[in-house]
Amino acid sequence: MSVRKFLLPVSSSASSEAALQTGLMLARMWNAHLEVLHIRSDAREIAPFAGEGLSGAMLEDMMNASDAEGGARARSLDEQFQAATKAAFVPVREAKPGANEPSASFTDLTGREEQLVAFKARLADLTIVPHPLAGDDAATADALHAVLFDSGRPVMLAPLQTPQTIGKRVTVAWNGTARAASALSSAMPFIRQAEAVRVLISDDYSRPGPSGQEAADYIAHHGIKADVARFAPRNREVGAGLLAAAAEFGADLMTMGAYSTASRLRQLILGGTTRHVLENAHLPVLMNR
């Protein structure tokens, strides 16, 4: 099992900087292709909802302004992409089957962002998304949820700051669920190359399913030794205890199932482990649902 293609949806230069650097690190690490994807809003789809009471000329002006703004944002992101790939010595070109060196490309599309991101993610080994708090850009959270809920593929949450390493010390947040198992499976290419692996468990986090030791035994079948450690919630927050345990281990990658204990809507309203990790993680987090 290898990683050959990464997808990175971007929406603003401010929110995408650390994620872009993370994606380029991964492309170099795996000699893989990174596709940076920008989706422009289609003003013609928005106009019917915003146009009540507006004249035809006003609607035309609104659509022209939207198109101009989208074009300016795309140019800014492309310039950022060109500068970052040049500094990282990653060639800019389309993916070449069988190529054994990193490469990157920039794709600019127009349409519904959550739909196009999910479609593209279905044929990527891993989709990287900017941290939801990076640049205060709500579109990054929309992209993350589009991948989690509508692609069937794993997603990696990039940290707010560019990481120094990825995948040398890996923590597996294990609660016995199918989502945790799916995340563990997606992380196996990283785990196989890791220097140290730890399975994190907690009575406050576990659900009916295989134990943490059984997860470690599964990892051992792949020739990797993993230890098992318990963690406790911090200030009654399971997510805070999970992140603290990962930091104590010196982890530079964590894998976990997403939204496994409640519905997404309930977690958004009441909070939950996934939400806490999304908002507070300082390391890359690989998630599956």
Side-chain angles (χ1 to χ4, degrees):
M1 182 168 24
S2 61
V3 183
R4 301 301 303 146
K5 182 180 179 182
F6 297 101
L7 179 71
L8 170 57
V10 294
S11 54
S12 75
S13 299
S15 65
S16 62
E17 180 61 33
L20 180 56
Q21 296 299 329
T22 299
L24 291 170
M25 285 179 62
L26 290 171
R28 293 196 305 269
M29 177 178 171
W30 292 100
N31 283 328
H33 183 76
L34 172 67
E35 181 181 5
V36 178
L37 174 67
H38 173 247
I39 308 296
R40 306 190 196 194
S41 298
D42 189 344
R44 277 147 287 280
E45 288 189 359
I46 300 172
F49 301 98
E52 187 175 346
L54 299 180
S55 67
M58 294 171 69
L59 280 174
E60 187 69 24
D61 287 344
M62 183 190 73
M63 288 189 290
N64 289 339
S66 177
D67 288 341
E69 180 182 353
R73 186 181 298 112
R75 287 190 294 274
S76 174
L77 286 164
D78 190 24
E79 290 172 1
Q80 182 187 42
F81 167 79
Q82 297 293 339
T85 51
K86 182 178 180 180
F89 300 102
V90 174
V92 176
R93 62 161 185 259
E94 294 304 313
K96 290 184 178 180
N100 194 34
E101 62 179 359
S103 60
S105 60
F106 183 87
T107 303
D108 181 31
L109 299 177
T110 299
R112 291 177 53 198
E113 181 176 18
E114 66 277 10
Q115 182 183 70
L116 291 177
V117 168
F119 287 175
K120 282 279 192 178
R122 290 173 190 173
L123 293 178
D125 293 310
L126 180 65
T127 297
I128 306 151
V129 296
H131 196 287
L133 301 185
D136 270 341
D137 192 347
T140 61
D142 292 339
L144 185 147
H145 289 126
V147 179
L148 280 176
F149 285 86
D150 200 27
S151 77
R153 305 295 291 160
V155 60
M156 179 180 286
L157 174 72
L160 283 165
Q161 303 295 326
T162 304
Q164 297 299 310
T165 60
I166 301 175
K168 288 186 178 294
R169 298 181 66 84
V170 180
T171 49
V172 177
W174 185 257
N175 62 1
T177 63
R179 295 174 178 87
S182 182
L184 173 57
S185 177
S186 295
M188 285 308 298
F190 293 91
I191 289 173
R192 284 194 184 94
Q193 297 189 10
E195 296 174 357
V197 181
R198 173 167 290 178
V199 179
L200 297 176
I201 60 172
S202 171
D203 291 340
D204 298 275
Y205 184 51
S206 67
R207 299 293 179 267
S211 67
Q213 185 57 57
E214 287 175 301
D217 292 343
Y218 166 78
I219 294 170
H221 280 300
H222 291 266
I224 303 101
K225 176 178 172 56
D227 64 12
V228 181
R230 289 188 173 275
F231 70 92
R234 293 278 183 97
N235 299 320
R236 299 185 179 181
E237 286 280 359
V238 171
L242 185 57
L243 290 175
E248 182 181 344
F249 183 64
D252 58 3
L253 177 65
M254 182 169 75
T255 176
M256 67 180 293
Y259 298 112
S260 59
T261 60
S263 71
R264 174 192 172 193
L265 179 60
R266 181 174 178 180
Q267 287 216 26
L268 289 174
I269 296 172
L270 301 178
T273 302
T274 301
R275 179 178 177 180
H276 186 94
V277 170
L278 289 175
E279 293 178 352
N280 296 279
H282 293 285
L283 77 168
V285 181
L286 190 155
M287 294 182 168
N288 274 70
R289 190 179 181 280

